[in-house]
Amino acid sequence: MEETEDFVGQGPHPVDDDLFKEPMKKRRRSDRDQRFRAFPSVEQSALKEYEKLESRTRRVLSNTYQKLIHSVFLDDSIPNGVKYLINRLLALIEKPSLDPIYIGLFGSTGAGKSSLINAIIQQAMFLPVSGESICTSCIVQVSSGCCEQYEAKIHLLSDQEWKEELKNLTTLLHRTEELDREEADAWDRDDAVEEAIWKLQMLYGNGAERKNYEELLRAKPKGKIPTSRIITLKAEEAEELSVKLDPYIRTHRRDLDGESAETQIWPLIKHVEVTLPKSEMIPEGVVLVDIPGTGDFNSKRDEMWKKTIDKCSVIWLISDIERVSGGRAHEDLLNESIKACQRGFCRDVALVVTKTDKLHLLEYLRERKVGNQAIQSQREAVLERNEVIKLQRNRILKEKLKRKLPADSKVLEASDLVYTVSAQEYWQQALLTEEETEIPKLRGYIRKRLLDKKRRMVTKYVTEAFGLLLLTDSFNCMENLPNEFLHMSGLRRFVEEKIQLLEKVIDQCFAHIKQPLQEGVRNAKASYRRILGTCLVRSRGNQGFHQTLKAVCLKNGIYASRTLARIDLNEAITQPIYDQIDPVFGGIFRAGKPTGSALLPHVEAFKHSLQEKMMEIGIRSGWKYDSYKKSFLIQEISAILGGLEDYILRKKRRIYESLTTSVQSDLKPCYEEAAQIAGKKACERMKDVIRRGVDRQVAEGMFERAQERMQHQFQQLKNGITEKVKGSIATMLTLASSQEDGLYKELADVKSEYKEMEKLHRGLKEVAENAVLRRGMQDFLLKMSPSKVVPPKS
């Protein structure tokens, strides 16, 4: 079934033509050492030890793999158990060292995202910055690697993706009837119309907005478009690449003449990846993502916008000091960030307040309401104001998160929910020290995240490899295992009972969502007309909204542009349901103790119960003094079930979005009908079609269907979990059964590899102890060191 096909874990791998594939080459030592340049010496030492453990583990696995290949190479048939083992070894050898940590910088126009990235990577004007308007026009990912040059890859829309957008743009600009003067003026001032004209003129030249779809298909774009749809730029220095990259990612004024060839293909750009060589500021394995605040009119770019947000494990909500106190844009971005915690992989959200050096001293002193101590300088005022902002926004953000997330969410335990930074002062240090700009604090956060993830990954990797070597070594000793263990009838019954219990527990977890869903549906039915009315009304009336509304309908209820707040009618009218289910939904997918509605802890408890049963059987079967016999199946259970968490977390996005997806699907006919309307009073007529269409669908059970579809998605997740568990555990027990099944044969002796792996496994504890000792020494030295000199008062 579909739910099990894309399971990412350590179940049995299918045997295919890649069985005798060569493992990937090891990373050179010099390249590995370069990865740690961004870390202080204490952290470097810990990383090098973990890297050394991982490297030696891969070498042991590779040697074992080669021995097994040679032992079966000439055989006409390879036993299933050996095939299983060889595939498992190869998969573990080629497992990536570390999945990237994506840190999303999410903010509205002019918030200072690019300036912040420039400061973090220590390149003052690397990404375009401007105090006037939108600067970065697309998603830009910045990371470091072991390349020798600075490099950027500019990914363009495919031919088909651009044709889809071109059709929508020309539909927006097509007038089928003459309008009166007032309507024509409103049409010309429409935001969607202005953006459509701008894009077509940029790509095809002046007058392109008057051509139809077929004419533009035959037209030749002004800029050169590579057949690969990827433009690669390279440079020896950061400044050189910045100059080359600038025209592609900077948003350009609409009244500019004589654009460059690079500027002319701007509407085709999907996203940009920038790689820095051997950075001393941003470690390899971390990707900083500059995310525009509203999405995009193009379907593929908008889909990428949402997926990029969802794959970020950390989201920094960027807001400048003058706009942090509210406004719809700030609230929309905060809500989108919280939704990323619900539907995506995000585990940490923080507010980063930028441009905190900006302060009018006389105004601040007049309005100052805190502290009795007299303010002597601009610097003291800035520091005091920043502390006040931190306390206020920390409280407000925490209250908002508490309303949406489970009470024991880790993000609520974070010591720093708010940062006050100044990129300008980081470079100038006229008022603040480098530390007071909090740029180093953000770098420290990045390093800590990477170090923690590396520690967890290597610990898991070495432990899993140790279990695999236990399994390999035990294959040659199967004849010594007692019959009581080999037949395992008692264990099979135990597993079947536990799987049945797991199914019941999953049902109980998912049952918690039923009542909030029902209450949410009632609230949505009671409030959808009011919400829809708010979405369809603009402060200027219909003026400048005619074609924007058509764009909403063309995109099935969603419109995103670079100048307007995002419009999503489907999400808006389902929001009352989300308001009810959010805390419960977050509770189902949280980590923690196996109580209440939390699913993942119950899966973990299921794993531990199987491992305890293995221990019980092992002791009863005489394994007490023979460690590998009682360990290899325990390790196998951990490996097999270890991928369930990723599988569950990937599925939760589909579940969470099923409400809006269902509503969008039901409303599609009315959107399509409204999109066809043109001529006089078209805006009011479109609104009327939408209102009547929503009324009709609500009366026919639209919200109830959305509820049923979400519950169906939960059921599919349950089926996917239990089917995978059943299949994987059954395969494992079969592998541990009698030799009479013909699963095993005499393999190459891997005792030396097993002993080496055993030593590496013991080394995990030593590395962890060394890290704790070094941190203690570092803290002591920091306490004893003199304070930094502050800038002079001003």
Side-chain angles (χ1 to χ4, degrees):
M1 54 191 298
E2 180 187 339
E3 302 301 309
T4 60
E5 286 177 352
D6 56 354
F7 177 85
V8 177
Q10 290 299 328
H13 294 266
V15 178
D16 52 32
D17 293 337
D18 291 334
L19 187 63
F20 301 112
K21 179 181 174 182
E22 282 291 326
M24 62 183 178
K25 299 294 183 184
K26 293 186 294 184
R27 184 191 290 266
R28 291 181 303 170
R29 182 185 298 270
S30 59
D31 288 344
R32 292 200 305 269
D33 291 343
Q34 292 290 351
R35 301 174 68 191
F36 309 135
R37 293 178 63 182
F39 291 88
S41 58
V42 171
E43 294 173 352
Q44 279 192 28
S45 298
L47 276 168
K48 286 179 180 178
E49 286 184 340
Y50 282 119
E51 190 86 357
K52 192 174 180 181
L53 273 178
E54 181 191 347
S55 177
R56 288 182 175 179
T57 298
R58 289 185 186 275
R59 186 181 64 202
V60 171
L61 291 172
S62 184
N63 290 343
T64 306
Y65 176 85
Q66 297 294 342
K67 280 188 174 183
L68 293 189
I69 289 295
H70 290 143
S71 69
V72 300
F73 188 72
L74 297 178
D75 291 4
D76 293 332
S77 63
I78 303 173
N80 290 336
V82 179
K83 291 178 183 177
Y84 172 90
L85 181 58
I86 290 174
N87 277 315
R88 282 288 314 280
L89 278 166
L90 184 60
L92 199 53
I93 291 167
E94 298 201 332
K95 189 175 184 179
S97 287
L98 193 69
D99 290 329
I101 296 174
Y102 288 91
I103 298 178
L105 284 76
F106 192 38
S108 54
T109 299
K113 301 185 296 295
S114 298
S115 296
L116 181 56
I117 290 178
N118 289 342
I120 290 173
I121 67 175
Q122 195 73 16
Q123 298 290 345
M125 297 296 290
F126 188 70
L127 296 180
V129 295
S130 169
E132 299 176 2
S133 59
I134 307 172
C135 230
T136 309
S137 62
C138 59
I139 293 172
V140 180
Q141 299 183 1
V142 180
S143 60
S144 69
C146 287
C147 53
E148 295 297 324
Q149 293 181 303
Y150 291 84
E151 182 176 299
K153 288 188 176 181
I154 299 151
H155 298 260
L156 307 181
L157 294 171
S158 70
D159 188 52
Q160 190 58 43
E161 288 165 355
W162 172 245
K163 284 179 180 177
E164 178 197 331
E165 180 169 4
L166 183 61
K167 193 164 192 176
N168 287 326
L169 293 174
T170 51
T171 301
L172 278 179
L173 297 177
H174 184 52
R175 302 191 204 183
T176 56
E177 299 177 27
E178 287 298 317
L179 307 178
D180 59 38
R181 182 166 184 171
E182 183 180 346
E183 288 178 322
D185 288 345
W187 193 92
D188 288 336
R189 288 192 297 270
D190 189 287
D191 292 284
V193 169
E194 286 183 4
E195 185 151 338
I197 292 172
W198 184 34
K199 285 183 177 181
L200 293 181
Q201 288 180 346
M202 186 73 75
L203 195 60
Y204 297 106
N206 291 332
E209 72 276 12
R210 293 188 292 273
K211 296 179 180 179
N212 61 33
Y213 174 66
E214 287 74 18
E215 289 173 325
L216 288 174
L217 279 182
R218 295 191 295 269
K220 184 178 179 181
K222 292 195 295 180
K224 185 178 179 181
I225 302 170
T227 54
S228 65
R229 314 298 278 200
I230 296 176
I231 299 169
T232 301
L233 307 175
K234 292 185 179 182
E236 295 293 332
E237 301 294 335
E239 294 82 2
E240 183 186 353
L241 183 68
S242 179
V243 170
K244 291 180 178 180
L245 184 61
D246 188 283
Y248 292 101
I249 62 176
R250 182 187 289 274
T251 298
H252 297 266
R253 286 171 48 193
R254 304 184 186 190
D255 56 352
L256 267 174
D257 294 323
E259 302 93 347
S260 66
E262 295 88 350
T263 303
Q264 291 162 358
I265 65 166
W266 168 80
L268 296 178
I269 296 174
K270 189 190 294 186
H271 72 284
V272 175
E273 296 175 333
V274 179
T275 306
L276 315 176
K278 306 166 188 172
S279 172
E280 294 186 4
M281 297 299 164
I282 173 174
E284 185 179 350
V286 171
V287 183
L288 300 175
V289 192
D290 187 337
I291 307 175
T294 58
D296 197 274
F297 180 61
N298 178 271
S299 297
K300 287 297 177 183
R301 274 196 293 249
D302 199 57
E303 181 185 347
M304 172 168 284
W305 178 78
K306 269 203 168 183
K307 284 185 175 180
T308 300
I309 295 172
D310 288 348
K311 75 180 179 182
C312 291
S313 56
V314 178
I315 288 181
W316 289 342
L317 179 59
I318 313 297
S319 181
D320 77 51
I321 190 72
E322 295 178 344
R323 288 188 279 183
V324 72
S325 297
R328 180 186 167 187
H330 178 77
E331 284 301 306
D332 287 348
L333 293 170
L334 177 57
N335 289 332
E336 194 66 42
S337 301
I338 294 172
K339 283 179 180 177
C341 292
Q342 297 283 30
R343 68 177 184 239
F345 288 89
C346 184
R347 289 290 180 273
D348 202 352
V349 174
L351 172 64
V352 179
V353 185
T354 58
K355 308 178 186 178
T356 56
D357 56 287
K358 292 166 65 175
L359 180 141
H360 191 284
L361 184 58
L362 294 178
E363 287 183 5
Y364 177 75
L365 292 175
R366 186 177 66 243
E367 299 174 3
R368 182 173 176 245
K369 299 176 182 178
V370 297
N372 297 317
Q373 187 175 351
I375 292 292
Q376 301 293 328
S377 66
Q378 180 93 1
R379 165 189 160 72
E380 290 178 3
V382 166
L383 290 174
E384 181 184 80
R385 189 273 317 273
N386 289 355
E387 283 304 310
V388 171
I389 286 288
K390 274 190 178 182
L391 291 171
Q392 291 176 344
R393 302 315 300 181
N394 187 81
R395 186 186 71 253
I396 293 168
L397 180 56
K398 189 164 283 191
E399 288 173 357
K400 182 91 173 180
L401 291 170
K402 281 180 178 177
R403 289 197 298 270
K404 293 287 187 178
L405 301 176
D408 58 352
S409 293
K410 286 190 176 181
V411 66
L412 296 174
E413 301 171 6
S415 57
D416 291 306
L417 277 176
V418 180
Y419 298 86
T420 50
V421 306
S422 171
Q424 181 169 313
E425 276 300 298
Y426 174 77
W427 300 111
Q428 297 179 355
Q429 295 184 33
L431 288 174
L432 306 176
T433 66
E434 182 178 304
E435 293 295 326
E436 287 165 348
T437 68
E438 299 205 349
I439 299 297
K441 194 173 184 180
L442 291 176
R443 287 193 192 127
Y445 171 88
I446 291 171
R447 293 196 306 268
K448 184 178 184 301
R449 289 283 302 203
L450 187 68
L451 186 57
D452 288 347
K453 187 169 184 178
K454 185 68 176 180
R455 173 181 50 78
R456 291 193 304 270
M457 175 266 159
V458 172
T459 300
K460 183 178 178 182
Y461 188 78
V462 172
T463 302
E464 189 173 339
F466 181 49
L468 201 50
L469 264 293
L470 285 167
L471 176 61
T472 307
D473 192 46
S474 66
F475 269 31
N476 284 328
C477 306
M478 279 294 178
E479 68 275 11
N480 299 322
L481 295 178
N483 286 334
E484 180 181 0
F485 173 71
L486 291 175
H487 294 120
M488 293 187 177
S489 58
L491 180 59
R492 290 182 188 276
R493 286 195 300 271
F494 176 81
V495 170
E496 289 171 2
E497 291 169 2
K498 280 294 180 180
I499 289 176
Q500 290 174 3
L501 179 60
L502 178 63
E503 288 180 311
K504 290 179 182 178
V505 168
I506 294 173
D507 283 335
Q508 290 168 5
C509 290
F510 294 167
H512 285 80
I513 202 79
K514 187 173 182 181
Q515 185 178 349
L517 260 176
Q518 291 171 342
E519 292 176 3
V521 166
R522 285 194 293 270
N523 293 347
K525 291 172 74 172
S527 59
Y528 78 89
R529 283 197 180 100
R530 173 182 55 79
I531 294 170
L532 193 62
T534 302
C535 292
L536 296 178
V537 171
R538 287 291 175 268
S539 58
R540 294 178 295 177
N542 292 339
Q543 192 175 27
F545 189 55
H546 176 187
Q547 296 304 93
T548 296
L549 184 57
K550 174 166 280 194
V552 171
C553 296
L554 284 170
K555 307 304 290 185
N556 292 322
I558 301 171
Y559 177 67
S561 78
R562 302 172 197 281
T563 54
L564 291 176
R566 185 179 180 87
I567 301 172
D568 191 333
L569 301 184
N570 314 299
E571 193 173 273
I573 60 179
T574 53
Q575 190 56 47
I577 308 179
Y578 285 112
D579 289 341
Q580 288 294 320
I581 70 168
D582 272 351
V584 179
F585 189 93
I588 289 174
F589 292 99
R590 69 172 174 82
K593 297 179 181 178
T595 56
S597 62
L599 172 61
L600 292 172
H602 284 298
V603 173
E604 188 71 12
F606 168 74
K607 181 180 77 176
H608 288 314
S609 69
L610 292 187
Q611 291 173 326
E612 287 171 4
K613 189 66 174 179
M614 295 292 185
M615 291 287 290
E616 177 190 323
I617 291 176
I619 292 171
R620 195 168 68 239
S621 303
W623 293 0
K624 190 172 182 180
Y625 304 107
D626 200 346
S627 62
Y628 75 82
K629 289 182 180 178
K630 73 177 182 183
S631 297
F632 85 85
L633 278 182
I634 294 173
Q635 296 289 355
E636 274 299 277
I637 290 172
S638 183
I640 288 171
L641 298 181
L644 271 179
E645 181 176 355
D646 283 344
Y647 169 74
I648 291 169
L649 293 178
R650 285 187 294 106
K651 291 301 176 187
K652 78 171 182 175
R653 180 187 180 192
R654 185 182 301 175
I655 298 172
Y656 190 76
E657 293 184 337
S658 60
L659 295 175
T660 51
T661 302
S662 175
V663 165
Q664 185 180 48
S665 175
D666 286 352
L667 293 179
K668 188 175 181 180
C670 89
Y671 290 140
E672 291 175 344
E673 181 184 348
Q676 299 302 314
I677 294 173
K680 294 184 178 181
K681 307 296 180 185
C683 195
E684 282 303 324
R685 286 157 55 207
M686 281 192 284
K687 290 179 182 179
D688 187 53
V689 166
I690 293 171
R691 290 190 190 102
R692 285 188 287 104
V694 174
D695 281 340
R696 183 171 59 253
Q697 288 297 326
V698 170
E700 293 174 0
M702 177 177 73
F703 291 124
E704 288 81 1
R705 285 192 297 275
Q707 175 187 340
E708 290 170 4
R709 285 165 182 165
M710 175 171 271
Q711 290 176 320
H712 176 68
Q713 289 288 337
F714 273 115
Q715 183 63 37
Q716 283 193 313
L717 176 58
K718 171 197 162 183
N719 295 341
I721 293 170
T722 55
E723 287 296 323
K724 188 62 189 178
V725 168
K726 287 177 183 177
S728 299
I729 298 296
T731 301
M732 184 200 69
L733 294 180
T734 301
L735 290 171
S737 295
S738 169
Q739 266 187 305
E740 295 174 5
D741 293 338
L743 292 174
Y744 305 107
K745 63 162 283 172
E746 186 176 347
L747 297 174
D749 184 4
V750 293
K751 287 196 180 298
S752 61
E753 284 76 15
Y754 165 69
K755 288 180 180 178
E756 174 70 12
M757 199 64 244
E758 190 176 33
K759 189 195 304 181
L760 293 170
H761 189 251
R762 286 198 305 268
L764 283 173
K765 184 179 179 182
E766 183 181 340
V767 171
E769 290 172 347
N770 289 344
V772 172
L773 183 62
R774 288 193 193 97
R775 279 198 300 271
M777 293 172 62
Q778 183 184 42
D779 292 343
F780 173 77
L781 291 172
L782 285 173
K783 287 177 183 176
M784 300 299 292
S785 63
S787 301
K788 289 191 175 182
V789 177
V790 300
K793 292 182 179 181
S794 59

